[in-house]
C-alpha cells in the first residue's frame, strides 16, 4: 500500500514533470539545436528497435541519418551527433533536478532508518536507555574524496541547485530561464582541475549543504533523545576530507597544496560562523549580549581576512558562553536555543570543518625510507639489510634529516608535508589533521615506515599526534591483515604510540580495489571476515578499533544499499564508528542537498545503532551459513580469476571500452592509472576507470561476475534450497544479492551484440554474456522475483527512465568506438565524441563508477 502511494507520487512529481519540463527544451535558444528535440525520439526508437533486432550501433546510427535527416557529409553528421550529446546531457540534469526536488515528498520522517523511527522502535522495545548509551559512544563519519566520478563543473552545479528550487516551487518562468542558462553553459572543463580546484568544489557542499544539514540533524537528535541529565556528544556526526591530502598516485598533490587546502577549510568554516552569527545578532539585540556578539563577529572577520590573526574553537565558545550567561541573567533566557544551536555547530565543526587526511602508497614510502637510510648510513654495508632493520634504525637514530638534504622531489615533498602537520594542527586544531593512511598495506613495515619518517624529521614521540592507518585492499592484504595487526600491537614502539593515541586504532578496508582483485562476492566476504578477525585481535590487546570503509558509488565498489549493508553486520564486528568514503556523483545524488544529506546521514547513524541495540537473528551468521557463503565466495573467485587470466581481459577493455579515454576527460587531477606510461597492466588500473568502463559498456561485470556460476554449482549439487534459506535468514547475504541485482539492472548487453561476431573478442564477449544470463536467471529464482529490483519499485523506475534517456547517447558512443577501431580518417574527432559521451552516461547512472 505504501509502495503504491509512493509510486503514484513518483509518477506525478517525477515522470509527469519531466515530460512537461522536457518540452521546454524545444523552444530554447541552443546554437543549431532547434530541431534536436524532434529528432531525438527517432534516434531512441531506432536504437530500441535496432538492438531488439541485434543490429550494431553503426547500423542504427546510419539508419537514423538515412531515415530522419537529409545530411550527406560526414562533418554535418558529426556536428549533429555532438549536438545530440549536448542535448541529452541537459536532459539528464533536468531529470536529476526533478527527482531531487521530489525527495521530501517521497520520503517521510517516519521511514525506516530515520531518527523518529529509531525513537519509536526504542520506545516500543523499552530500549531508550540503550539507544542513549550507544549515542554517547558512537559516531558516523563521511569522508569526501577527490576521485574523478563527478563530471559537472561548478557552474553547472550551481544551476542544478537553483533548478531544483525552481522545480520545488513549480516556477515555470524560472525553470525556463535556468534551462536557457544551462543550454549556454559548458559541461566540459577546458583544462584538467588542480587538486585545489577539486577541494574548492567540494567545499561548496560543506558551506552550503552540510553546515546546515548536519546542524539540523544534531538539533533533531538532541530534541528526540536529549534530556536534562543526558547530553549528546557533538562528535556524533563528523566529516572527513581527502582532496589536497590524498597523494596516492597523484603527483600534483604537494605539501604546499595540503597546506593551502587546510587554510581554505578553516576559512570556509569561519565564513559559515560569520554568516550564521550575522543572522543570530538580528534576534539577540539585547544590551550587553549584542556587544559580546559584535566583538565575536569582528574577531571572526579578522581571522578570515587577516593572515596573522588566529581564533580557536575554545575562544569562539568562550564568547558564546559569555553571551549566554548575560542572556540568562538579564534577559530571561530569550532565544537561548538559537545561541545553543550556534555553539553546537562550533563544537561539531571546530576550526577545521572537515578532517583532512593524508594518504600515500606504501611502495612510495619504502622508496623514501630507502633513500633516507642510504643517505644516513651510506658507509655501511647494507645489501643484506632488511626493511625492518631500516625502519628500526631510523626510529632509533639521533640524526634528523631536512627536505633539502635530498634531490628526489618525492622525498623532499614528503618530508615537507610531515613538517607541515604541526602547523596545520596549530591552525585548524588536532581534529583538522590527525590521520596518515597507507594504501596497499601488506606488512608491518608499511605502518612503521611512516612513524620512522616522523621521527627522522625531528618529531619527539609525544609530538606525533597522528593516527597511522593501514589500508588493506587486495585479497592478499585482507588475508594478511590479522597477522600484520597482531605484530604491530606487540611492537613496543607502536604499543607506546597507540597508548598516546588513546589505544584507538583506525583500519581502512578498500572495497574498490578488493572487488577489482577478487570479484564481487569474494571481496565482500573477505572484508567481512577481515573485520571479524581484526575485531577479535583488537579485543585481545585492549584496543578500540574503528573501521573505515573505502566505498564507491556502485555495488562493484562497495556502494548500493549502504544502510542495509551496515545494519546487517552482526556482533562479531566492532561497531564503534561507521566511517566511509563518498565521491563524485554519490556526493550529488545521495548527499547533494540539505534534505537528502540529512536523511542519508540519519540512515547511516541508525544502521550503526540498530546493530548494537536491537536483537535480530538475521544479522548473526551460524557456522553452517558461514560455510555456505565461504563456499559461494570461493567458487565465484575461481570463476572471476579465470576471467582475469583470460588473455583478452585487458586488451578487451583497452580496445572495446572507454578505458583509454577516462584520463582525457579533464574531470580530475589524478592520472587514471598507477605507474609510468607504457604497457597497461591489470594491477596498475585504478578501480574507478576499471568499473566505469564496464559501466559504459552496459556490462557491469565487476558487480556480478562469478555469482551465477557459484549458484549454479550448488544447484547442480542439490543445495539450492540451502542458498534460498541463507537468502531468507541472512541480512548480509540478502544485501549482497540485492546490490548485485542493482548492477545487473543497469546492464544492457544488446548494446554490444555486435561484438560477439568480432574475430578477436567474440569468444570473450560470449563468456561475459553467458555469466550475466546465468546470474540473472539464478538470482531471480533465488529471490522469487519476476524482475530485477522488484522490491525497490522507485529505484527501478528511476533507473529505467535514466536508461531510456541515455540509450541514444550509448548508441553514439559505441558508433564512435567502432569508427576508432577501424582507424577512421577522422579518428581524432571520433575520440572527442567518445569523451563527450562519457559525461552524460556517467551522470545519468549516478553511481556507475
Amino acid at each position: 500500500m505504501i509502495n503504491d502511494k509512493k509510486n503514484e507520487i513518483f509518477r506525478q512529481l517525477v515522470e509527469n514533470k519531466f515530460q512537461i519540463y522536457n518540452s521546454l527544451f524545444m523552444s530554447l535558444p541552443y546554437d543549431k539545436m532547434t530541431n534536436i528535440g524532434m529528432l531525438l525520439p527517432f534516434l531512441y526508437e531506432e536504437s530500441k528497435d535496432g538492438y531488439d533486432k541485434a543490429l550494431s550501433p553503426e547500423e542504427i546510427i546510419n539508419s537514423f541519418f538515412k531515415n530522419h535527416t537529409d545530411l550527406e557529409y560526414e562533418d554535418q553528421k558529426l556536428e549533429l551527433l555532438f549536438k545530440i550529446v549536448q542535448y541529452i546531457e541537459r536532459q539528464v540534469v533536468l531529470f536529476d533536478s526533478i527527482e531531487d526536488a521530489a525527495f521530501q515528498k517521497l520520503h517521510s520522517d517516519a521511514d525506516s532508518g530515520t531518527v523518529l523511527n529509531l525513537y519509536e522502535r526504542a520506545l516500543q522495545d523499552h530500549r531508550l536507555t540503550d539507544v542513549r548509551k550507544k549515542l554517547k559512544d558512537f559516531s558516523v563519519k563521511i569522508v569526501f574524496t577527490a576521485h574523478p566520478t563527478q563530471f559537472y563543473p561548478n557552474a553547472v552545479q550551481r544551476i542544478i541547485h537553483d533548478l531544483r528550487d525552481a522545480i520545488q516551487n513549480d516556477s515555470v518562468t524560472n525553470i525556463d530561464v535556468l534551462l536557457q542558462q544551462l543550454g549556454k553553459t559548458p559541461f566540459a572543463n577546458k583544462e584538467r582541475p588542480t587538486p585545489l580546484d577539486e577541494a574548492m568544489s567540494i567545499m561548496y557542499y560543506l558551506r552550503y549543504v552540510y553546515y546546515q544539514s548536519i546542524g539540523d540533524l544534531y538539533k533533531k537528535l538532541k530534541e528526540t533523545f536529549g534530556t536534562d541529565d543526558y547530553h549528546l556528544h557533538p562528535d556524533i556526526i563528523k566529516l572527513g576530507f581527502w582532496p589536497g591530502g590524498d597523494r596516492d598516485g597523484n603527483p600534483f598533490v604537494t605539501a604546499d597544496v595540503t597546506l593551502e587546502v587546510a587554510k581554505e577549510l578553516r576559512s570556509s568554516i569561519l565564513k559559515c560562523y560569520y554568516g550564521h552569527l550575522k543572522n543570530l545578532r538580528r534576534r539577540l539585540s539585547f544590551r550587553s549580549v549584542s556587544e559580546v556578539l559584535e566583538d565575536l563577529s569582528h574577531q571572526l572577520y579578522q581571522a578570515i581576512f587577516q593572515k596573522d590573526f588566529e581564533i580557536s574553537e575554545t575562544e569562539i565558545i568562550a564568547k558564546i558562553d559569555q553571551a549566554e550567561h548575560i542572556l540568562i541573567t538579564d534577559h530571561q533566557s530569550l532565544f537561548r536555543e538559537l545561541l545553543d544551536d550556534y555553539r553546537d555547530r562550533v563544537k561539531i565543526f571546530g576550526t577545521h570543518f572537515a578532517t583532512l587526511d593524508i594518504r600515500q602508497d606504501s611502495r612510495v614510502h619504502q622508496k623514501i625510507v630507502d633513500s633516507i637510510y642510504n643517505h644516513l648510513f651510506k658507509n655501511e654495508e647494507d645489501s643484506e639489510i632488511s626493511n625492518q632493520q631500516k625502519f628500526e634504525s631510523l626510529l632509533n637514530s639521533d640524526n634528523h634529516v631536512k627536505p633539502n638534504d635530498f634531490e628526489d622531489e618525492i622525498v623532499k615533498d614528503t618530508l615537507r608535508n610531515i613538517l607541515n602537520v604541526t602547523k596545520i594542527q596549530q591552525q585548524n586544531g588536532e581534529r583538522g589533521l590527525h590521520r596518515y593512511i597507507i594504501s596497499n598495506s601488506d606488512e608491518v613495515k608499511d605502518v612503521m615506515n611512516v612513524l620512522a619518517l616522523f621521527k627522522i624529521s625531528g618529531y619527539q614521540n609525544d609530538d606525533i599526534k597522528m593516527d597511522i592507518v593501514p589500508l588493506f585492499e587486495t585479497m592478499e592484504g585482507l588475508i594478511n591483515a590479522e597477522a600484520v595487526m597482531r605484530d604491530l600491537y606487540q611492537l613496543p614502539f607502536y604499543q607506546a604510540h597507540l597508548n598516546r593515541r588513546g589505544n584507538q586504532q583506525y583500519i581502512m578496508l578498500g572495497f574498490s580495489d578488493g572487488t577489482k582483485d577478487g570479484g564481487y562476492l569474494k571481496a565482500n566476504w573477505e572484508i567481512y571476515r577481515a573485520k571479524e578477525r581484526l575485531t577479535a585481535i583488537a579485543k585481545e590487546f585492549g584496543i578500540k578499533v574503528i573501521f573505515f570503509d573505502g566505498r564507491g558509488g556502485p555495488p562493484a565498489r562497495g556502494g548500493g544499499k549502504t544502510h542495509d549493508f551496515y545494519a546487517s553486520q552482526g556482533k562479531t564486528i566492532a561497531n564503534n564508528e561507521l566511517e566511509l568514503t563518498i565521491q563524485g556523483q554519490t556526493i550529488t545524488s545521495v548527499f547533494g542537498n540539505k534534505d537528502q544529506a540529512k536523511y542519508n546521514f540519519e540512515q547511516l547513524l541508525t544502521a550503526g545503532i540498530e546493530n548494537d541495540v536491537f536483537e535480530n537473528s538475521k544479522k548473526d551468521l551460524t557456522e553452517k551459513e558461514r560455510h555456505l557463503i565461504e563456499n559461494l565466495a570461493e567458487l565465484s573467485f575461481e570463476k572471476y580469476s579465470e576471467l582475469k587470466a583470460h588473455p583478452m581481459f585487458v586488451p578487451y577493455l583497452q580496445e572495446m571500452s572507454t578505458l583509454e579515454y577516462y584520463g582525457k576527460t579533464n574531470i580530475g587531477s589524478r592520472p587514471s592509472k598507477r605507474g609510468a606510461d607504457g604497457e597497461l597492466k591489470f594491477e596498475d588500473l585504478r578501480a574507478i576507470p576499471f568499473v566505469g568502463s564496464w559501466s559504459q559498456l552496459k556490462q557491469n561485470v565487476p558487480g556480478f561476475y562469478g555469482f551465477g556460476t557459484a549458484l549454479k554449482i550448488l544447484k547442480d549439487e542439490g543445495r539450492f534450497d540451502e542458498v534460498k534459506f541463507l537468502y531468507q535468514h541472512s541480512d548480509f547475504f540478502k544485501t549482497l544479492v540485492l546490490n548485485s541485482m542493482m548492477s545487473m539492472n543497469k546492464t544492457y548487453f544488446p548494446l554490444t551484440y555486435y561484438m560477439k561476431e568480432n574475430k578477436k573478442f567474440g569468444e570473450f564477449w560470449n563468456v561475459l554474456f553467458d555469466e550475466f544470463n546465468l546470474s540473472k536467471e539464478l538470482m531471480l529464482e533465488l529471490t522469487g522475483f519476476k524482475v530485477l529490483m522488484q522490491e525497490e519499485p522507485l529505484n527501478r523506475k528511476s533507473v529505467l527512465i535514466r536508461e531510456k534517456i541515455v540509450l541514444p547517447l550509448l548508441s553514439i558512443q559505441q558508433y564512435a568506438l567502432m569508427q576508432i577501431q577501424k582507424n577512421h580518417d577522422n579518428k581524432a574527432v571520433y575520440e572527442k565524441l567518445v569523451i563527450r559521451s562519457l559525461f552524460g552516461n556517467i551522470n545519468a547512472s549516478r553511481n556507475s563508477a
Side-chain angles (χ1 to χ4, degrees):
M1 192 71 181
I2 292 174
N3 275 339
D4 289 342
K5 186 177 179 181
K6 285 190 174 183
N7 272 326
E8 180 58 22
I9 294 172
F10 188 90
R11 187 185 68 80
Q12 292 175 1
L13 296 184
V14 180
E15 292 182 84
N16 289 354
K17 280 191 176 183
F18 180 66
Q19 295 301 325
I20 294 166
Y21 296 141
N22 193 34
S23 65
L24 292 174
F25 278 100
M26 297 287 193
S27 58
L28 295 182
Y30 295 148
D31 296 333
K32 302 177 184 178
M33 287 178 69
T34 51
N35 64 339
I36 300 296
M38 293 179 285
L39 284 174
L40 197 51
F42 293 118
L43 180 53
Y44 171 77
E45 290 300 329
E46 289 279 0
S47 298
K48 184 175 179 297
D49 293 343
Y51 293 128
D52 287 344
K53 296 172 185 175
L55 297 181
S56 73
E58 186 174 36
E59 291 171 311
I60 288 167
I61 295 296
N62 288 337
S63 177
F64 165 71
F65 282 130
K66 179 182 177 181
N67 296 333
H68 304 289
T69 76
D70 56 3
L71 301 177
E72 297 181 16
Y73 301 107
E74 186 179 25
D75 60 341
Q76 294 175 318
K77 293 177 181 179
L78 280 166
E79 183 180 31
L80 177 60
L81 292 180
F82 274 108
K83 295 301 179 186
I84 290 173
V85 169
Q86 292 174 7
Y87 193 93
I88 293 173
E89 282 178 338
R90 285 150 179 83
Q91 282 190 311
V92 170
V93 168
L94 177 62
F95 186 77
D96 282 350
S97 302
I98 290 170
E99 193 171 35
D100 291 347
F103 187 87
Q104 266 189 312
K105 300 283 180 64
L106 290 168
H107 297 86
S108 161
D109 271 355
D111 282 356
S112 175
T114 60
V115 168
L116 183 60
N117 178 266
L118 177 68
Y119 178 80
E120 294 295 337
R121 186 178 175 188
L123 199 63
Q124 187 176 342
D125 290 5
H126 307 291
R127 291 293 182 89
L128 265 179
T129 301
D130 294 331
V131 170
R132 288 188 174 115
K133 183 180 178 182
K134 183 61 184 174
L135 283 168
K136 272 285 191 185
D137 188 42
F138 184 73
S139 64
V140 167
K141 186 173 185 179
I142 292 294
V143 180
F144 302 94
T145 78
H147 295 164
T149 62
Q150 176 51 260
F151 286 75
Y152 294 136
N154 289 349
V156 176
Q157 296 276 24
R158 287 166 172 78
I159 296 171
I160 292 172
H161 185 272
D162 294 340
L163 187 58
R164 184 173 54 240
D165 291 343
I167 291 167
Q168 280 182 325
N169 296 320
D170 285 321
S171 176
V172 177
T173 304
N174 285 341
I175 293 167
D176 185 58
V177 169
L178 289 165
L179 290 179
Q180 289 185 51
Q181 183 187 356
L182 199 63
K184 292 284 189 178
T185 304
F187 271 48
N189 295 314
K190 287 184 179 179
E191 298 177 352
R192 183 183 292 274
T194 67
L196 184 59
D197 292 333
E198 291 171 332
M200 297 303 290
S201 178
I202 296 177
M203 279 183 223
Y204 171 85
Y205 288 97
L206 296 183
R207 287 187 64 185
Y208 298 107
V209 177
Y210 303 115
Y211 181 77
Q212 194 63 46
S213 61
I214 290 175
D216 288 347
L217 177 54
Y218 186 74
K219 184 178 179 182
K220 184 177 180 180
L221 284 164
K222 278 181 68 175
E223 291 171 349
T224 306
F225 291 103
T227 66
D228 289 339
D229 301 322
Y230 173 80
H231 303 284
L232 284 175
H233 195 281
D235 254 2
I236 194 167
I237 307 164
K238 298 185 281 192
L239 299 176
F241 206 80
W242 274 16
D246 180 9
R247 57 232 324 115
D248 177 12
N250 192 339
F252 307 111
V253 177
T254 64
D256 288 342
V257 168
T258 303
L259 202 58
E260 186 62 31
V261 169
K263 288 177 182 176
E264 289 294 342
L265 282 166
R266 181 176 181 275
S267 177
S268 292
I269 189 56
L270 294 180
K271 287 174 183 176
C272 287
Y273 294 154
Y274 182 79
H276 190 162
L277 183 58
K278 191 175 180 180
N279 291 328
L280 191 61
R281 289 171 63 198
R282 295 177 67 175
R283 292 291 167 270
L284 295 174
S285 53
F286 318 137
R287 185 177 292 111
S288 298
V289 175
S290 61
E291 285 81 355
V292 173
L293 297 182
E294 183 181 9
D295 185 43
L296 176 56
S297 181
H298 287 316
Q299 287 182 304
L300 289 171
Y301 186 88
Q302 287 176 286
I304 294 167
F305 296 107
Q306 291 183 17
K307 288 184 179 180
D308 57 344
F309 191 90
E310 300 284 347
I311 189 169
S312 68
E313 174 187 342
T314 305
E315 289 169 326
I316 298 171
I317 290 174
K319 283 288 184 184
I320 298 170
D321 290 345
Q322 184 184 351
E324 182 184 51
H325 177 73
I326 298 168
L327 201 64
I328 295 168
T329 305
D330 299 342
H331 303 289
Q332 295 77 49
S333 298
L334 192 59
F335 298 132
R336 182 184 175 186
E337 70 280 1
L338 300 180
L339 203 59
D340 199 34
D341 176 50
Y342 186 54
R343 177 170 43 222
D344 285 341
R345 308 281 178 103
V346 177
K347 288 181 177 179
I348 292 168
F349 300 115
T351 53
H352 65 287
F353 216 155
T355 301
L356 186 59
D357 288 338
I358 296 173
R359 183 171 79 130
Q360 182 57 284
D361 191 283
S362 63
R363 293 164 293 190
V364 175
H365 287 141
Q366 189 58 57
K367 289 178 182 177
I368 294 167
V369 165
D370 290 345
S371 294
I372 295 172
Y373 182 88
N374 291 335
H375 172 77
L376 290 176
F377 306 104
K378 54 191 171 187
N379 294 324
E380 295 184 16
E381 177 61 48
D382 60 1
S383 59
E384 300 298 322
I385 298 294
S386 68
N387 288 327
Q388 178 178 339
Q389 288 171 310
K390 287 179 182 178
F391 75 67
E392 286 178 348
S393 295
L394 296 183
L395 285 172
N396 295 316
S397 175
D398 293 329
N399 295 317
H400 297 151
V401 294
K402 296 177 181 178
N404 290 333
D405 293 343
F406 302 89
E407 293 184 6
D408 190 334
E409 194 55 43
I410 190 67
V411 179
K412 292 168 73 169
D413 190 73
T414 300
L415 293 174
R416 285 194 196 106
N417 195 45
I418 285 172
L419 290 172
N420 283 344
V421 166
T422 300
K423 188 183 298 184
I424 293 171
Q425 289 183 340
Q426 286 171 348
Q427 292 179 336
N428 293 27
E430 191 178 318
R431 287 196 292 164
L433 175 67
H434 65 84
R435 300 198 306 193
Y436 201 121
I437 299 163
I438 310 146
S439 304
N440 283 298
S441 292
D442 295 321
E443 301 177 53
V444 167
K445 57 95 176 171
D446 296 332
V447 170
M448 297 306 294
N449 278 347
V450 175
L451 284 170
L453 290 175
F454 273 88
K455 285 288 290 180
I456 209 70
S457 295
Y459 281 77
Q460 298 300 310
N461 292 344
D462 290 343
D463 297 331
I464 308 176
K465 298 174 181 177
M466 293 289 284
D467 299 299
I468 314 301
V469 186
L471 166 51
F472 301 108
E473 43 196 333
T474 63
M475 289 302 100
E476 182 184 2
L478 289 166
I479 292 167
N480 291 343
E482 179 187 8
V484 170
M485 295 314 299
R486 177 179 289 279
D487 289 345
L488 274 170
Y489 292 151
Q490 293 181 98
L491 280 178
F493 188 94
Y494 195 71
Q495 277 184 341
H497 176 72
L498 273 185
N499 187 256
R500 289 189 293 272
R501 301 303 298 162
N503 284 323
Q504 181 172 283
Q505 174 69 56
Y506 290 91
I507 298 176
M508 189 172 178
L509 301 150
F511 281 81
S512 299
D513 283 290
T515 304
K516 181 171 79 78
D517 190 38
Y520 174 74
L521 192 54
K522 174 72 169 177
N524 276 277
W525 178 236
E526 285 303 331
I527 288 170
Y528 188 95
R529 294 207 320 160
K531 283 185 176 180
E532 288 186 315
R533 293 193 295 264
L534 292 168
T535 297
I537 195 82
K539 282 183 180 177
E540 181 183 334
F541 285 90
I543 305 296
K544 179 182 179 180
V545 66
I546 295 172
F547 294 119
F548 173 23
D549 291 328
R551 301 170 71 89
R557 295 187 54 237
K561 299 163 71 65
T562 309
H563 171 270
D564 292 350
F565 176 85
Y566 282 113
S568 71
Q569 296 192 21
K571 297 284 195 287
T572 53
I573 293 176
N575 187 34
N576 299 307
E577 185 171 312
L578 195 158
E579 186 167 344
L580 66 154
T581 56
I582 63 167
Q583 70 258 328
Q585 323 96 302
T586 314
I587 296 175
T588 52
S589 64
V590 181
F591 297 90
N593 62 62
K594 292 169 189 174
D595 295 328
Q596 286 177 314
K598 186 163 154 294
Y599 182 87
N600 286 301
F601 267 114
E602 286 187 50
Q603 294 287 313
L604 290 172
L605 184 68
T606 58
I609 292 169
E610 286 170 7
N611 247 338
D612 271 13
V613 174
F614 300 108
E615 297 297 326
N616 181 356
S617 60
K618 292 186 178 183
K619 284 189 300 190
D620 297 315
L621 294 167
T622 65
E623 280 305 309
K624 186 177 180 181
E625 289 169 342
R626 285 175 177 279
H627 288 310
L628 191 55
I629 297 176
E630 177 74 27
N631 199 346
L632 287 164
E634 286 303 318
L635 292 170
S636 71
F637 181 52
E638 287 174 22
K639 182 69 174 176
Y640 181 73
S641 297
E642 284 177 20
L643 185 72
K644 281 201 308 180
H646 197 291
M648 290 296 106
F649 186 83
V650 173
Y652 178 78
L653 280 176
Q654 276 188 289
E655 297 179 38
M656 306 302 282
S657 82
T658 59
L659 180 68
E660 296 286 323
Y661 302 96
Y662 265 80
K664 302 175 183 178
T665 53
N666 288 339
I667 58 164
S669 67
R670 190 170 69 168
S672 59
K673 71 182 183 74
R674 292 183 174 96
D677 293 336
E679 181 186 352
L680 182 65
K681 298 177 183 176
F682 176 79
E683 56 269 23
D684 289 334
L685 275 175
R686 289 270 179 200
I688 289 170
F690 174 73
V691 173
S693 296
W694 289 115
S695 172
Q696 295 279 316
L697 282 170
K698 305 309 290 181
Q699 293 176 353
N700 286 327
V701 164
F704 70 83
Y705 198 88
F707 213 147
T709 292
L711 292 172
K712 177 72 164 57
I713 291 172
L714 290 190
K715 185 179 181 181
D716 290 345
E717 292 175 357
R719 301 177 61 193
F720 205 64
D721 283 343
E722 291 180 42
V723 185
K724 284 184 176 180
F725 185 87
L726 177 67
Y727 173 78
Q728 292 162 0
H729 291 84
S730 166
D731 285 346
F732 173 71
F733 184 68
K734 182 177 182 179
T735 301
L736 292 185
V737 172
L738 296 180
N739 274 341
S740 188
M741 276 190 163
M742 184 186 294
S743 286
M744 289 194 291
N745 201 47
K746 294 182 179 181
T747 297
Y748 186 63
F749 268 91
L751 178 71
T752 53
Y753 273 162
Y754 73 94
M755 292 184 188
K756 64 183 173 182
E757 305 301 332
N758 186 288
K759 290 182 181 179
K760 184 175 181 181
F761 296 111
E763 182 228 334
F764 184 78
W765 184 92
N766 279 290
V767 168
L768 304 177
F769 186 47
D770 290 344
E771 183 65 17
F772 169 76
N773 286 329
L774 182 64
S775 298
K776 181 179 177 181
E777 175 192 340
L778 288 176
M779 281 196 206
L780 289 176
E781 183 180 347
L782 174 65
T783 58
F785 293 173
K786 290 183 172 59
V787 293
L788 297 171
M789 292 179 71
Q790 184 175 306
E791 286 187 345
E792 302 169 81
L794 295 189
N795 286 339
R796 191 169 186 277
K797 271 190 173 185
S798 177
V799 169
L800 291 174
I801 294 171
R802 290 174 183 280
E803 297 297 300
K804 182 177 179 179
I805 292 171
V806 298
L807 186 60
L809 195 59
L810 292 165
S811 296
I812 291 170
Q813 184 182 86
Q814 285 297 314
Y815 169 73
L817 285 168
M818 293 178 80
Q819 304 314 305
I820 293 166
Q821 288 153 19
K822 290 180 179 179
N823 209 18
H824 196 285
D825 291 341
N826 265 343
K827 184 179 178 182
V829 180
Y830 284 108
E831 287 182 337
K832 185 179 178 183
L833 190 57
V834 170
I835 293 167
R836 292 294 293 120
S837 65
L838 279 167
F839 292 72
N841 285 335
I842 284 287
N843 287 327
S845 297
R846 285 204 143 184
N847 67 350
S848 60

